[in-house]
Amino acid sequence: MTDLAPRELRVLVAVAEQGGFSAAAVTLGMTQSAVSHSVRGSERRLGAVLFDRGRSGAVPTPAGERALGYARRVLRLLEVMGSEVRAASHGGSRGGGAGDGPEEVAGPLRIAAFRSAALHLLPRALGRLTERHPGIVPEVRIVREVGRGTAGEVLDGRADLGIATLGTTSPVPPELVGGVLVEEGYALVHPAGHPAPRSLPLIDWTENCTSYTRAWWAGQEWLPPATVQAEDDGAVLSMVSTGFGMAVMPELSLVGASPSVEITDLGPERPTRSVGYVTTPELAVSPAVRALIRELRAVAG
């Protein structure tokens, strides 16, 4: 049976974050030999090499990345356990239902969100959350929603909850739980007053959820291939506002758009995407995560 102590998990995480055994030893207040011994013991019990050692330091192997995700999540659960037990000992409630009394919720709450959600959806939810639970300290990281995206941050134990795009092409990973918060449509965005906006060059960005628009996109003969790839949706909107081109963008990206751009509805067949949350089954029942989900649903509804 695999039986790693929290101290051994912290050693693994420190080696990965510091990029080597020596730097991890300094961070942990241990000797390098003690760190090496701990990692070797963990590798022996897990039956896999967790780090590639070299002159440039220590780099997690694929097995190591998987182990690190579990290590961070276990360590986070130990933190949550401590805070919840302390709250319970001072009269806090597990609660959670509509008729329950206020919960004593405190401590850090780590959130990963893609840019438009972090700018236009999350702030309102966090404002409501911290008003009701001033002891919660939100820690927000903006993560590009490409590849493993925000769900990957949760799986890797770097976030308690991720604001993610969900759908048939990007479902909730089987190790996580989640739900849809809002369905948002796409619109055509172009310089205000332009006489022929569909004749303009098309601007796009890597993070744009083309998986949601691909079938629709293929049927639009007027849409040319994108000739400009911007860094993010903010850059796209800026380029459109200066008359550089047109774009097809989701509603969250258009909140607070400049008067110099015009937003044209694409009709009932327009593409849509689902924006939701993902978290681990264990953290889904924690008071802080439940409270955030409630506020996200409130502002999204």
Side-chain angles (χ1 to χ4, degrees):
M1 182 181 68
T2 302
D3 187 13
L4 301 184
R7 176 183 58 81
E8 294 169 299
L9 300 180
R10 293 188 182 94
V11 169
L12 295 179
V13 172
V15 171
E17 292 181 348
Q18 300 302 319
F21 287 39
S22 297
V26 172
T27 300
L28 296 168
M30 300 169 60
T31 65
Q32 181 178 344
S33 61
V35 169
S36 298
H37 178 76
S38 178
V39 171
R40 285 196 300 271
S42 297
E43 290 178 325
R44 183 173 61 254
R45 270 172 283 173
L46 290 172
V49 175
L50 303 180
F51 294 96
D52 286 328
R53 284 85 156 168
R55 292 183 178 180
S56 59
V59 178
T61 63
E65 291 286 6
R66 180 62 63 91
L68 285 163
Y70 282 111
R72 294 189 190 97
R73 286 157 60 180
V74 169
L75 291 172
R76 178 58 176 150
L77 283 176
L78 290 174
E79 293 176 0
V80 171
M81 179 180 70
S83 64
E84 288 193 27
V85 169
R86 286 190 293 273
S89 71
H90 290 87
S93 167
R94 287 182 57 85
D100 293 322
E103 296 173 282
E104 295 294 332
V105 186
L109 178 60
R110 307 170 307 160
I111 306 156
F114 58 91
R115 181 183 178 278
S116 58
L119 289 176
H120 306 304
L121 177 62
L122 194 55
R124 289 176 293 157
L126 292 182
R128 293 168 57 100
L129 178 72
T130 54
E131 181 179 358
R132 289 167 171 75
H133 305 286
I136 290 181
V137 182
E139 299 174 358
V140 180
R141 295 178 62 240
I142 297 179
V143 177
R144 288 170 66 83
E145 190 68 337
V146 293
R148 298 173 75 238
T150 58
E153 295 297 297
V154 177
L155 283 169
D156 292 343
R158 295 187 178 93
D160 302 327
L161 180 142
I163 307 296
T165 53
L166 305 175
T168 55
T169 56
S170 54
V172 176
E175 302 97 322
L176 303 179
V177 296
V180 173
L181 296 168
V182 62
E183 296 277 358
E184 58 173 346
Y186 281 73
L188 174 65
V189 190
H190 53 87
H194 195 283
R198 295 192 177 198
S199 67
L200 292 169
L202 180 66
I203 308 170
D204 206 359
W205 75 104
T206 305
E207 197 176 0
N208 195 12
C209 297
T210 53
S211 61
Y212 295 89
T213 64
R214 189 173 295 120
W216 175 88
W217 204 289
Q220 310 303 308
E221 295 181 357
W222 60 274
L223 267 177
T227 54
V228 178
Q229 286 286 338
E231 177 65 22
D232 56 40
D233 54 348
V236 171
L237 206 53
S238 177
M239 296 176 88
V240 172
S241 70
T242 60
F244 193 80
M246 64 173 173
V248 175
M249 306 181 72
E251 292 170 352
L252 269 181
S253 296
L254 301 176
V255 175
S258 165
S260 60
V261 304
E262 188 172 336
I263 301 170
T264 300
D265 194 293
L266 289 169
E269 300 301 319
R270 66 178 181 168
T272 61
R273 73 172 180 181
S274 303
V275 177
Y277 68 90
V278 292
T279 186
T280 66
E282 298 83 10
L283 287 173
V285 298
S286 69
V289 169
R290 289 206 317 273
L292 176 57
I293 292 171
R294 283 196 296 270
E295 302 305 340
L296 284 168
R297 285 175 173 159
V299 301

